[in-house]
Amino acid sequence: MTHITRAALTIAIFIGLEKLLGFLRQVIIARQFGLSAELDAFNAANNLPDLIFALISGGALAIAFIPVLSEYLEEKGRPIMWDLFSRVANLVFLATAVLSALIAIFAEQLVGWQLGIAPGFVATQQALVTDLMRLNLIATLLFSISGLVIAGLQANQHFLLPALARSMYDIGTLIGVLILAPHTGYQIGPITLPAFGMGIYGLAYGTVLGAVLFLVIQIPGLMHYQFHWVPKINLRHPGVQQVLRVMGPRIGTMFFVYLVLIYIPDNIASRLPTGSITALVYGWLIMQVPETLIGTAIGTALLPTISEQIARNERGDFTNSLNRALRVILALTLPVSLLIALVIRPLVAVFDFDPVGTEMVIWTARAFLIGLAGHSLLEIAARAYYAQQNAMTPLWASALMMVTFSVLALLFSQLIGVAGIALANALAFTGEALLLLYLLNRKFPGLLRLGNTLARVALACLAAALLVTIILSLTLPIPSLFLAVVALALGGLAVLPFIWPEVKLLVKL
């Protein structure tokens, strides 16, 4: 088992734990608040804080930062790498603080503006969004440092604590859900939990607590790798300039991604029936579980290695690493998306929405699942460009994706409601992934040589679908959720013989 495989498995295990905790949190939230105007406001309030994190210290910088840190570690040693890390971290923290302050000041206008976050909400709901967004900005400030710490540790090929940090965040938010928000204490066996009765505000304070834990759990990793903070920035520093050259286009890319994932969907959904924004959140959550377990785990583990391969000009190894990752992702995501779509109804039922809300979430999730393979392939394709410190190609590809999504979302939402927004997302991101892979294959011939992988995956999907359909049609004296889980497990086992070559490739990544 290679170090990439071990890293991917470590990440996948802890992502799985995080998703389990996150799913538990979402079930409790759903049962407390339902598809309500209050919960719509909470989800909309995350928009701009999430944007800041994505642009500055999350998706924008982490992926752009790791190849540069890996190069410094390889060529100049760890002390010089940490010096560069400190300078960039100081710059990012200041930028995040200034931007967060501006958003907090103008929050009311940003929410109610016709092109703003939630123009379709009534005045009281907009006021709630404003209050919650200001609270969430505190968490964003903490995440601005945590995102960089993740990049620093992963550049050192350390993946355990960054993966564990996700679960620590969920523990903080669970405290918000179980203790801060409820008006009546939850009963766990003989223990009655305290209840602070803060309602939807309790979720926001839980987010802040989760952000604190997310950062604190990673500090031992910094100490282990002898991190030393330098109170400097110096924009003329060659390493800082190198990071900024890659980060600039990456910020543009993440801005377009933000528009597609949050701003445009929520703006459109705020004009649809109550609960539409929350349906998008839950539908996305269902698709994100397998996407992060497969695509994010493999992509995260792969990036430091392919960055080193590019730095050493090992083009053949670079191509082989990407080819194996693509075949594994296709073999895993296509059957998984089909199986989850088939058994999804009992899974959504645990949220205890009303019948209309349940149908809304089911079809929104199914639409998102159409793009599971595309989102996962994009995790690899985008990182392949950043490993080469080429951020311009993903930038214009994401701009094209944003335009495509906007047109499709406006059209489909009028035809099939909120599920149309999810379908537009699936098609737009899949198109972007295929375009980036096509261009990569022109530079690195052989990248897309998939052999008979797709043919075997198609047979696997057919066999699994038939088996699951038969199981679900049985009339048995067992709960529907248990039957769905059994059908999902047996469907997965039916897939394995067809994709066994890719399973062995995963071990050899």
Side-chain angles (χ1 to χ4, degrees):
M1 185 179 292
T2 68
H3 71 279
I4 296 177
T5 304
R6 287 194 298 271
L9 288 176
T10 298
I11 295 166
I13 289 169
F14 282 99
I15 286 178
L17 175 61
E18 184 267 334
K19 291 302 178 184
L20 180 62
L21 292 172
F23 186 79
L24 174 62
R25 181 184 77 246
Q26 293 295 353
V27 169
I28 299 171
I29 290 174
R31 290 175 177 265
Q32 278 191 37
F33 298 100
L35 293 184
S36 63
E38 198 176 26
L39 189 55
D40 272 353
F42 174 77
N43 289 319
N46 292 323
N47 283 355
L48 286 179
D50 285 350
L51 172 62
I52 296 174
F53 174 67
L55 292 186
I56 297 178
S57 57
L61 189 55
I63 293 179
F65 203 15
I66 289 173
V68 179
L69 289 177
S70 297
E71 180 182 316
Y72 264 63
L73 181 62
E74 179 85 13
E75 297 178 359
K76 302 182 180 182
R78 187 166 284 120
I80 302 299
M81 185 207 74
W82 285 129
D83 177 86
L84 172 61
F85 175 92
S86 297
R87 294 171 188 271
V88 174
N90 296 337
L91 176 62
V92 165
F93 182 80
L94 289 175
T96 304
V98 170
L99 192 53
S100 296
L102 289 173
I103 290 176
I105 293 170
F106 297 104
E108 187 175 345
Q109 292 81 0
L110 291 169
V111 171
W113 180 38
Q114 191 62 25
L115 296 177
I117 294 173
F121 286 174
V122 298
T124 53
Q125 199 175 7
Q126 289 180 350
L128 180 58
V129 173
T130 300
D131 290 343
L132 294 172
M133 185 166 66
R134 286 171 174 155
L135 281 174
N136 286 338
L137 287 168
I138 300 172
T140 298
L141 200 57
L142 295 169
F143 280 131
S144 70
I145 299 301
S146 303
L148 297 181
V149 174
I150 287 175
L153 293 179
Q154 288 181 351
N156 282 277
Q157 297 283 354
H158 180 91
F159 299 94
L160 176 60
L161 291 178
L164 183 59
R166 294 171 176 264
S167 297
M168 298 306 295
Y169 168 74
D170 275 309
I171 289 173
T173 56
L174 272 171
I175 292 173
V177 175
L178 292 171
I179 296 176
L180 301 181
H183 293 277
T184 303
Y186 276 91
Q187 191 78 27
I188 302 178
I191 301 173
T192 301
L193 297 178
F196 285 74
M198 299 173 69
I200 203 71
Y201 286 93
L203 301 188
Y205 283 112
T207 299
V208 175
L209 176 59
V212 172
L213 297 177
F214 190 94
L215 175 60
V216 169
I217 192 63
Q218 298 185 80
I219 292 176
L222 293 176
M223 297 172 62
H224 176 75
Y225 290 103
Q226 303 170 344
F227 168 70
H228 176 71
W229 179 63
V230 177
K232 299 177 181 178
I233 294 178
N234 186 9
L235 294 176
R236 296 183 178 180
H237 186 281
V240 175
Q241 291 187 349
Q242 186 178 357
V243 171
L244 292 178
R245 280 195 298 271
V246 180
M247 182 182 175
R250 176 63 178 169
I251 286 178
T253 300
M254 290 307 300
F255 178 70
F256 291 128
V257 171
Y258 162 82
L259 292 178
V260 171
L261 292 184
I262 301 176
Y263 168 71
I264 296 174
D266 283 4
N267 187 287
I268 296 173
S270 72
R271 308 166 198 269
L272 297 175
T274 298
S276 294
I277 289 180
T278 301
L280 285 173
V281 171
Y282 280 88
W284 177 256
L285 169 70
I286 291 168
M287 190 279 290
Q288 273 285 285
V289 172
E291 195 278 329
T292 49
L293 287 173
I294 301 170
T296 302
I298 294 175
T300 300
L302 195 63
L303 179 57
T305 296
I306 60 176
S307 298
E308 292 173 2
Q309 289 169 344
I310 288 295
R312 295 193 292 261
N313 198 31
E314 297 170 348
R315 293 173 60 91
D317 291 341
F318 176 82
T319 302
N320 288 335
S321 295
L322 292 177
N323 176 264
R324 290 171 180 167
L326 296 178
R327 290 172 63 188
V328 169
I329 283 176
L330 287 171
L332 295 178
T333 56
L334 291 174
V336 165
S337 60
L338 176 62
L339 291 172
I340 295 177
L342 289 172
V343 305
I344 195 171
R345 187 171 298 277
L347 300 179
V348 173
V350 302
F351 295 120
D352 200 26
F353 295 132
D354 60 46
V356 173
T358 297
E359 288 300 314
M360 190 185 298
V361 173
I362 285 172
W363 287 103
T364 301
R366 282 174 171 164
F368 274 126
L369 283 166
I370 293 173
L372 172 59
H375 277 282
S376 300
L377 290 173
L378 189 58
E379 297 269 13
I380 302 300
R383 284 172 171 82
Y385 285 95
Y386 292 113
Q388 302 171 68
Q389 299 187 33
N390 172 6
M392 289 304 299
T393 302
L395 172 61
W396 67 256
S398 64
L400 180 60
M401 179 271 296
M402 186 270 295
V403 173
T404 303
F405 169 79
S406 300
V407 173
L408 294 178
L410 287 170
L411 175 63
F412 292 164
S413 64
Q414 296 301 312
L415 296 175
I416 56 176
V418 67
I421 300 175
L423 179 59
N425 172 292
L427 296 177
F429 274 99
T430 300
E432 181 188 6
L434 294 176
L435 175 60
L436 289 176
L437 290 172
Y438 167 75
L439 295 175
L440 271 174
N441 189 62
R442 293 180 61 182
K443 185 175 181 180
F444 299 94
L447 180 71
L448 295 181
R449 289 176 184 166
L450 303 178
N452 60 359
T453 295
L454 288 178
R456 286 184 287 101
V457 169
L459 291 174
C461 288
L462 179 60
L466 289 172
L467 177 61
V468 168
T469 301
I470 292 171
I471 294 173
L472 294 178
S473 67
L474 298 176
T475 303
L476 299 174
I478 59 175
S480 58
L481 178 60
F482 180 76
L483 183 63
V485 172
V486 170
L488 188 63
L490 293 177
L493 290 175
V495 166
L496 278 179
F498 295 94
I499 64 167
W500 193 248
E502 285 70 32
V503 173
K504 291 192 290 186
L505 273 183
L506 176 61
V507 179
K508 299 177 182 177
L509 272 180

